Amino acid sequence: MSAQMLPRVFQLDAKTLASQKAHPNAELLKLATDEANAALKLPPQTIINKTKTPPSGDMHDYMSMARYWWPNPDTPNHLPYVRHDGKTNPEINGIKDHEELTRTNESARALALAWYLTGDERYAEHATALLRSFYLDKATAMNPNLDYAQYVAGVNTGRDSGVLDARSLAMAVDAVGLLAGSKSWTAADQEGMQQWFAKYYTWLTTNENAKKEANTTNNHGSWCAVQLTSIGMFLGKTEDVKKIADRIREQRIPSQFDAKGMQKYELVRTNSFSYSAFNLEALTTVAEIVAPLGEDLYKPIKPGGPGILTGIDALLPFDPQHPWPHEQISKDLEGSLCPALVRADAKTHDAKYAEAQKRFGCKQTAVTMVETLSGS
């Protein structure tokens, strides 16, 4: 199959998608169209309607409050806010930028995938409308920065942790790749997204908060790598991506996992199982993105050393019937391990990962089915 026929996607396997387009699996088609039909109901999103104004005065600037920071009970004005890890302050729901960004990216990818597999132009048309509203139309588009993400009242106007808010951008990258060739997606749309992501990549690699986030040792740094690698591949910056992959394999993974696969930077959290699984989701996502460059993040830097699979295996015993022995204040989140389980199954074909998906109650989606088929 020629490279010209393959979609420019990076989280999903392009060869598997092209094969499914030519000879579709009935179950995959049903999943993809059901999810796309639901996404058709989402109106175009925009962050310009928020009730709070960013410090810049520009409503096009993304803004969000820090999730785990609460009013200070010891001061008259309740400032500065204080941290309660794992406990979400409902005030964050007063600003919808994060929700709208995520919904746009998830829905655009679902619609684009359904269009790619079926050719039904309704899906491409609505995916295009969502992406234009959020990224391209001057009247409604988000500026390509996260300067005011996850601010802490009384402390700052934005911080490094806010970069995590945009982890779904990798989905938008794949949506753009899947839409190529549709009647709805124009050359101007493609060029507009190239320009938006080029500006955002510059922000992501030069802004002080963003650079700090990239070097964070826990899941935050891993998820920043998801953005850097997916957008880097989209922009053709393969040498940058290779360097990031090498650093993950040589430095990040050895520092995060002990010999048994436990993650010291996540075990200190009040939701230590969830965050351990969350970090594994990020690392397995990056592994998918960099694999076409010949980078195998599953292979430990030292033979016999801990790696991604060691980390997944460390969590395998702790399904809903077998309590996690560390702190986990939020309940019923064992399913957060599912993305890593699906990818480990596709990578290794080890039956224990397929069996674990049943124990952890993992639900099949169009994306997980593509990932499963890519390993067959």
Side-chain angles (χ1 to χ4, degrees):
M1 191 174 294
S2 68
Q4 288 78 9
M5 296 174 63
L6 298 178
R8 288 195 76 237
V9 294
F10 308 107
Q11 273 194 288
L12 298 176
D13 184 74
K15 291 182 179 179
T16 300
L17 286 170
S19 174
Q20 288 301 313
K21 183 178 178 69
H23 305 286
N25 176 295
E27 184 181 355
L28 174 60
L29 281 183
K30 184 178 188 311
L31 286 167
T33 53
D34 284 351
E35 292 165 18
N37 288 338
L40 283 173
K41 300 174 183 177
L42 180 72
Q45 307 285 289
T46 175
I47 63 171
I48 65 168
N49 296 325
K50 51 182 167 279
T51 55
K52 292 187 178 181
T53 303
S56 62
D58 187 348
M59 299 299 281
H60 294 266
D61 280 332
Y62 179 95
M63 188 179 187
S64 64
M65 292 185 70
R67 176 173 294 275
Y68 301 139
W69 292 76
W70 291 72
N72 191 329
D74 298 326
T75 60
N77 64 357
H78 303 301
L79 298 175
Y81 273 30
V82 292
R83 187 170 185 259
H84 297 288
D85 187 37
K87 297 181 179 180
T88 298
N89 179 355
E91 275 187 84
I92 69 168
N93 298 320
I95 305 174
K96 302 291 187 182
D97 292 11
H98 182 210
E99 184 180 336
E100 293 180 353
L101 170 66
T102 304
R103 281 192 307 214
T104 293
N105 295 335
E106 289 177 342
S107 298
R109 185 178 67 171
L111 290 158
L113 177 58
W115 174 81
Y116 180 82
L117 293 172
T118 68
D120 188 331
E121 194 63 28
R122 291 179 307 145
Y123 299 137
E125 183 178 4
H126 197 59
T128 298
L130 291 175
L131 293 172
R132 283 176 181 164
S133 177
F134 207 89
Y135 298 103
L136 302 178
D137 293 346
K138 289 184 178 180
T140 56
M142 170 184 163
N143 290 334
N145 71 73
L146 296 171
D147 288 336
Y148 310 112
Q150 288 200 23
Y151 76 88
V152 178
V155 178
N156 54 47
T157 57
R159 60 193 184 120
D160 52 311
S161 295
V163 177
L164 183 68
D165 281 9
R167 60 189 179 276
S168 66
L169 283 174
M171 298 181 189
V173 168
D174 275 10
V176 170
L178 289 165
L179 287 170
S182 76
K183 295 177 183 177
S184 300
W185 190 251
T186 68
D189 292 325
Q190 185 70 30
E191 177 61 23
M193 291 302 286
Q194 288 280 151
Q195 291 178 4
W196 194 95
F197 275 114
K199 291 175 182 176
Y200 179 73
Y201 189 85
T202 296
W203 181 89
L204 195 58
T205 52
T206 60
N207 177 270
E208 288 305 315
N209 274 346
K211 290 193 292 183
K212 183 179 178 183
E213 182 79 340
N215 290 318
T216 303
T217 52
N218 69 358
N219 69 82
H220 279 259
S222 302
W223 279 107
C224 191
V226 170
Q227 293 189 50
L228 287 165
T229 53
S230 61
I231 298 169
M233 291 291 282
F234 178 70
L235 298 174
K237 298 180 181 293
T238 53
E239 290 306 311
D240 287 4
V241 174
K242 286 181 180 180
K243 290 177 183 176
I244 294 167
D246 289 342
R247 283 199 299 273
I248 290 173
R249 187 162 168 257
E250 295 169 7
Q251 300 172 25
R252 177 170 293 279
I253 290 174
S255 76
Q256 287 180 332
F257 298 96
D258 66 17
K260 295 182 179 179
M262 288 296 181
Q263 303 172 53
K264 62 185 178 184
Y265 302 123
E266 312 307 335
L267 287 182
V268 299
R269 304 297 299 272
T270 59
N271 282 314
S272 57
F273 183 95
S274 300
Y275 277 111
S276 295
F278 193 47
N279 186 53
L280 287 164
E281 180 182 357
L283 292 175
T284 54
T285 301
V286 178
E288 294 292 318
I289 293 167
V290 303
L293 300 180
E295 299 278 355
D296 186 359
L297 295 188
Y298 287 93
K299 183 178 180 181
I301 191 66
K302 293 181 179 179
I308 291 174
L309 293 176
T310 324
I312 296 173
D313 290 348
L315 302 188
L316 281 185
F318 305 107
D319 60 27
Q321 282 69 49
H322 299 86
W324 175 244
H326 306 282
E327 190 169 13
Q328 174 71 27
I329 63 174
S330 298
K331 305 304 179 185
D332 304 320
L333 292 178
E334 292 87 354
S336 56
L337 186 59
C338 290
L341 292 175
V342 172
R343 293 163 190 161
D345 184 20
K347 174 70 176 176
T348 67
H349 304 291
D350 191 322
K352 68 183 178 184
Y353 298 120
E355 184 271 335
Q357 289 176 57
K358 297 176 183 177
R359 287 193 291 112
F360 282 88
C362 301
K363 296 178 181 178
Q364 185 84 287
T365 67
V367 166
T368 62
M369 189 162 186
V370 169
E371 291 175 331
T372 300
L373 290 168
S374 70
S376 60

